[in-house]
């Protein structure tokens, strides 16, 4: 549904590209790292999402005639415009797998391309990966507390415009079961769900008439919204009546939905009334400003809720505005590059790199990833990238390389993975991470170290550039 | 760039539409109100945005062949699918003008259509208006504190996916001057801006070489980023050198940009060094996690910053996740409808309505809007919608009707307004609002009242529906 052309970028990418082009640097190579510095939600992990979308966009990225017409009105040379006319992304990408559990301050993805291509795709890359990673992480936190209960995405109306399209996709990666967003369901093959709004009830002269009309029209997915007038005095009794009428027709009422009031109390009362009426199979759904904390609290109160519908707090990643993912130059024209900062934690790490997840001899995660130069095949001792005196021997560890070649010469190196595959992979990966990294309060920190070689290279460059 | 088809909706809209259709209610009429309950950012006003986009989308909204193929796999009747095949929005819309200053709990827009059409467009309407209103309001708060200084939108990389496209549009309505977002600039005719990233500096062997290359390649919009290595010891001295070289060529360095460190201190030092070098005309731009509070603080410290580049906090509306705009049924099949709630503040207001902004005999705003039934031509006394004993005589007030017919039979009633017109209108309207409604801390509350007729109608319905 959503098409991007190559003007889905920041103007400075074009300005810089213009200069590179005019200076004869268009075939210079560059290596950029994508990573983030701070975990969202004060949590202990993030779920990497957006990769397959990004790869699809990159395979087809070009400037349209309309784009070129627009750019022609600006301060660009004709030769540069001709270059843009034939522009396509022809580089290489190494990346963590979509759905993997990722941590701050280590590369999640590396782009290798000529410097103009690598620069022009920065914005779209950050735009897609930052947002989907934020939302997949938010979704996974709700999955952690919801156990096997159903989680539905209801957020499109409160999403940031068409950002909602990708939010629905990312929610599935994080463990949601379905979405109300029809276009996302269609395009990403997500189960779709949705039944009725208050307006439906209001548009009939009585609640029971509305319920009856709906049950007759949608017998296979009938979930009655019971709080339009009064949940316990009107909505629930009417739902019971309809449930019994459906039974007489050999049909089954699927559920009721609570959308206001004290959800814990109402769910308990509704469960009791449904059970007493012999409608034990009718599910209870709840919605209204839910997030991982509210869901956790409801379940701690033993609210018998089977289905949670989540809107705003899912699709916006509230309370976090954005993931702070960045895209930093680590080599250009085969020369390792560094960005200096007052704080060592913000000094970049040069070179083409690999990231290894470390396990002990029993195959258990040791709670640390190690960054090496790409040609290193493993690691004996890892060094703290900030505290120069700290190091840890890891020569007995098993290593799992996290970055894989996913794009070469601008084409995917393997088939696109389906959303279901990605979600299953993500659940498996998150499941393998110990609980202490997944708790909400003061989670354990998943450490990062760098190899001796990388440390030396970085120190050398620091000396060279430090003013 | 972004195309919507009619599946840009929630599944329950289709489920309800299906029932209406099968029950022979497809020609029933409905009136829905769009409004929000809570002002964003704990502020005193909001800037209404997104209308022209919405109208454009509605004029062209239909189900694509792909949509219909997808829906055919679901539980819908063939007759209903045929209906969807010919679906278009053919209703009426009354609305506040885009860019107007709006307040909570009074209709900003009313939709009148057959009930299926009115229901199917709910999601797209909320999705576009909630988000753009949030961002235009955020932008306007920065404009209030920035005075005549330039405000640039740098946010696409941190926006919620393609939500950034509309964020850039809404920022202009709120008073921003330009955007880095090329596709939004192109499609909405927004001035575009952007010069260089740290990676550009890093990709050269020295900072001065990078600056020189850029100045030669982009002499007309040369803004040098001075904090890659060390702002005061390296970046600024090198920028001065380049500025003087440009002077020799008869060119002018446009500006320098600070993107880290203590912006107030650095801006003062840089201004001093630039002035001493005779580069008084060189502007200072600043970026790095700005918002209205940081800009206000910088200017209170007399930081000589001419241009502010704002990213995350603008395009995400941080710290607010979303505007809580809702779409509530106020009539169906010509019968006034009500949604009950425990709290009177959440009980809807039935009927087709008009909203008047009230002025005293000197033409000054009195700080209140009045809601009437649409056929009332004015108002003598307005009643508090929540506190039933409170009322206020307003018979001497001048009234300005805020809701205008903007769409009839699914077509705009007048030409699309350009973004520039909307932004100018918005600035004028905001300017007319007294300061006390615009301050950030504990702003005055812009009151709302309802007419006697509306009050009676609402009370009658409340009695009828109250369980």
């Amino acid at each position: 549904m959503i098409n991007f052309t190559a003007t889905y970028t920041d103007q400075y990418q074009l300005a810089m590209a213009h200069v590179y082009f005019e200076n004869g640097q268009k075939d210079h190579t560059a290596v950029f790292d994508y990573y983030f510095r701070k975990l969202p939600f004060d949590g202990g992990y993030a779920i990497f999402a957006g990769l397959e979308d990004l790869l699809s966009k990159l395979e087809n990225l070009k400037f349209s005639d309309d784009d070129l017409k627009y750019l022609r009105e600006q301060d660009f040379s004709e030769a540069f415009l001709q270059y843009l006319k034939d522009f396509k992304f022809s580089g290489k990408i190494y990346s963590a797998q979509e759905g993997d559990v990722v941590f701050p301050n280590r590369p999640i993805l590396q782009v290798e391309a000529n410097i103009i291509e690598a620069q022009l795709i920065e914005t779209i890359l950050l735009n897609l990966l930052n947002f989907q990673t934020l939302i997949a992480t938010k979704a996974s936190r709700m999955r952690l507390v919801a156990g096997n209960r159903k989680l539905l995405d209801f957020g499109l109306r409160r999403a940031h415009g068409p950002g909602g399209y990708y939010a629905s996709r990312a929610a599935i990666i994080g463990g949601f079961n379905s979405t109300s967003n029809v276009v996302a369901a269609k395009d990403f093959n997500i189960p779709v769900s949705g039944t009725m709004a208050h307006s439906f009830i209001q548009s009939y002269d009585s609640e029971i008439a509305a319920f009856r009309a709906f049950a007759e029209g949608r017998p296979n997915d009938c979930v009655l919204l019971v709080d339009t007038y009064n949940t316990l005095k009107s909505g629930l009794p009417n739902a019971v009546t309809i449930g019994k009428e459906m039974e007489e027709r050999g049909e089954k009422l699927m559920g009721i939905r609570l959308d206001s009031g004290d959800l814990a109390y109402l769910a308990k009362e509704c469960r009791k009334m449904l059970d007493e009426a012999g409608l034990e199979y009718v599910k209870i759904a709840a919605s209204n400003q839910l997030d991982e904390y509210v869901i956790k609290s409801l379940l701690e109160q033993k609210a018998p809720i089977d289905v949670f519908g989540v809107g705003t707090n899912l699709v916006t990643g509230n309370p976090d505005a954005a993931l702070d993912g960045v895209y930093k130059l680590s080599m250009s024209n085969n020369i390792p590059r560094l960005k200096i900062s007052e704080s060592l934690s913000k000094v970049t790490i040069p070179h083409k790199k690999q990231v290894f997840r470390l396990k002990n001899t029993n195959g258990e995660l040791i709670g640390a990833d190690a960054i090496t130069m790409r040609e290193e095949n493993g690691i004996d001792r890892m060094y703290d990238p900030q505290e120069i005196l700290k190091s840890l021997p890891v020569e007995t560890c098993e290593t799992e390389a996290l970055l894989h070649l996913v794009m070469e010469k601008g084409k995917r190196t393997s088939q696109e993975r389906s959303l279901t595959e990605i979600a299953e992979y993500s659940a498996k990966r998150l499941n393998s991470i110990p609980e202490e990294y997944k708790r909400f309060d003061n989670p354990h920190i998943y450490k990062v170290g760098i190899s001796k070689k990388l440390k030396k290279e970085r120190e050398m460059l620091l000396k060279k550039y430090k003013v």
Side-chain angles (χ1 to χ4, degrees), chain A:
Chain A
M1 177 205 65
I2 297 183
N3 297 312
F4 297 77
T5 66
T7 49
Y8 196 87
T9 194
D10 287 301
Q11 175 74 3
Y12 77 178
Q13 317 286 12
L14 290 166
M16 292 186 281
H18 186 210
V19 175
Y20 288 134
F21 181 85
E22 292 296 323
N23 277 343
Q25 292 162 287
K26 75 177 169 55
D27 298 320
H28 282 199
T29 57
V31 179
F32 280 87
D33 296 354
Y34 170 70
Y35 61 96
F36 59 87
R37 295 195 183 113
K38 195 184 157 294
L39 281 164
F41 317 119
D42 293 322
Y45 70 93
I47 300 293
F48 175 49
L51 177 65
E52 291 290 355
D53 276 322
L54 174 67
L55 298 179
S56 298
K57 300 297 183 213
L58 292 184
E59 284 189 327
N60 299 297
L61 199 67
K62 56 179 197 155
F63 289 92
S64 69
D65 293 345
D66 189 42
D67 290 338
L68 292 164
K69 187 166 160 273
Y70 170 73
L71 295 175
R72 180 151 281 126
E73 295 159 14
Q74 294 188 37
D75 196 9
F76 296 117
S77 69
E78 191 54 38
F80 180 61
L81 290 167
Q82 280 302 317
Y83 172 85
L84 293 185
K85 188 165 180 282
D86 298 324
F87 171 86
K88 62 187 191 66
F89 179 73
S90 61
K92 252 188 197 176
I93 296 182
Y94 291 85
S95 175
Q97 290 191 60
E98 184 162 9
D100 204 356
V101 181
V102 292
F103 302 97
N105 297 312
R106 62 213 82 177
I108 297 170
L109 181 148
Q110 274 199 320
V111 172
E112 295 180 27
N114 77 50
I115 197 158
I116 295 184
E117 292 177 17
Q119 197 74 70
L120 275 175
I121 69 164
E122 175 183 10
T123 310
I124 188 172
L125 183 150
L126 291 173
N127 178 269
L128 289 175
L129 301 184
N130 282 341
F131 179 55
Q132 289 203 45
T133 298
L134 181 77
I135 303 305
T137 307
K138 186 74 178 177
S140 99
R141 289 163 63 83
M142 297 192 223
R143 173 48 67 205
L144 282 180
V145 294
N148 289 324
R149 294 167 191 86
K150 285 228 191 294
L151 291 171
L152 317 185
D153 154 32
F154 282 180
L156 183 56
R157 63 190 52 203
R158 296 285 169 79
H160 288 191
Y165 182 68
Y166 291 106
S168 298
R169 179 183 186 278
I172 298 297
I173 294 174
F176 267 56
N177 298 95
S178 72
T179 185
S180 69
N181 179 340
V182 184
V183 64
K186 170 175 79 72
D187 289 0
F188 298 121
N189 197 23
I190 303 172
V192 71
S193 56
T195 55
M196 61 165 66
H198 295 114
S199 60
F200 183 85
I201 319 280
Q202 287 171 263
S203 78
Y204 286 79
D205 289 328
S206 70
E207 189 178 52
I208 188 106
F211 283 3
R212 194 168 283 130
F214 199 88
E216 284 167 10
R218 306 287 300 173
N220 299 324
D221 60 356
C222 185
V223 178
L224 301 170
L225 180 59
V226 294
D227 70 335
T228 305
Y229 301 116
N230 184 309
T231 300
L232 297 180
K233 289 188 191 154
S234 167
L236 210 276
N238 284 333
V240 167
T241 304
I242 298 300
K244 302 310 274 184
E245 288 177 11
M246 289 180 82
E247 281 186 349
E248 282 167 30
R249 295 196 295 273
E251 295 160 355
K252 279 189 167 180
L253 175 61
M254 184 185 278
I256 60 141
R257 177 160 71 97
L258 304 167
D259 188 44
S260 60
D262 187 314
L263 298 175
Y265 168 74
L266 291 173
K268 286 176 194 172
E269 292 299 309
C270 287
R271 185 73 273 160
K272 226 182 290 172
M273 290 162 80
L274 288 168
D275 290 353
E276 280 164 12
L279 299 171
E280 296 88 355
Y281 57 84
V282 173
K283 304 281 185 210
I284 297 180
S287 50
N288 194 19
Q289 299 300 327
L290 301 181
D291 65 11
E292 63 271 45
Y293 296 99
V294 178
I295 294 172
K296 187 164 182 273
S297 161
L298 287 168
L299 294 174
E300 282 168 358
Q301 294 170 71
K302 304 204 184 305
I305 298 171
D306 307 290
V307 180
F308 295 96
V310 189
T312 312
N313 294 316
L314 170 67
V315 300
T316 64
N318 189 40
D320 280 18
L323 182 77
D324 73 349
V326 293
Y327 184 78
K328 293 290 176 192
L329 185 74
S330 56
M331 286 186 98
S332 74
N333 228 14
N334 297 313
I335 301 165
R337 302 291 183 179
L338 205 67
K339 158 96 176 67
I340 309 278
S341 172
E342 297 296 310
S343 149
L344 191 53
S345 71
K346 280 185 131 188
V347 173
T348 57
I349 300 173
H351 282 283
K352 298 180 185 177
K353 298 181 280 291
Q354 179 56 278
V355 181
F356 291 108
R357 189 143 293 170
L358 303 176
K359 296 175 189 176
N360 64 21
T361 45
N362 298 325
E364 295 157 350
L365 295 170
I366 70 156
D369 294 335
I371 313 173
T372 68
M373 291 178 63
R374 195 182 297 149
E375 67 269 20
E376 296 183 82
N377 277 323
I379 183 159
D380 289 336
R381 177 175 285 273
M382 64 179 208
Y383 296 81
D384 192 299
Q386 291 165 51
E387 304 198 29
I388 54 167
L389 297 175
K390 274 169 85 175
S391 74
L392 192 75
V394 292
E395 72 275 5
T396 61
C397 285
E398 289 175 38
T399 54
E400 180 197 358
L402 298 184
L403 306 185
H404 306 272
L405 182 69
V406 295
M407 179 163 264
E408 191 158 29
K409 294 183 183 159
K411 294 287 160 204
R412 273 196 177 80
T413 55
S414 58
Q415 237 195 324
E416 183 171 352
R417 289 198 303 158
S418 73
L419 199 53
T420 311
E421 284 174 84
I422 297 167
E424 282 171 5
Y425 173 73
S426 189
K428 204 184 70 187
R429 295 291 281 186
L430 187 59
N431 193 42
S432 76
I433 301 281
E435 292 307 318
E436 54 266 33
Y437 300 95
K438 295 186 278 196
R439 69 177 179 234
F440 294 167
D441 296 322
N442 297 316
H444 245 45
I445 292 167
Y446 212 93
K447 295 196 178 62
V448 66
I450 60 178
S451 70
K452 191 167 190 176
K453 239 176 157 171
L454 209 44
K455 182 172 184 275
K456 279 196 174 161
E457 285 280 329
R458 193 177 181 222
E459 285 168 353
M460 227 164 61
L461 282 173
L462 256 176
K463 265 183 215 151
K464 179 177 161 194
Y465 285 112
K466 196 83 182 174
V467 181

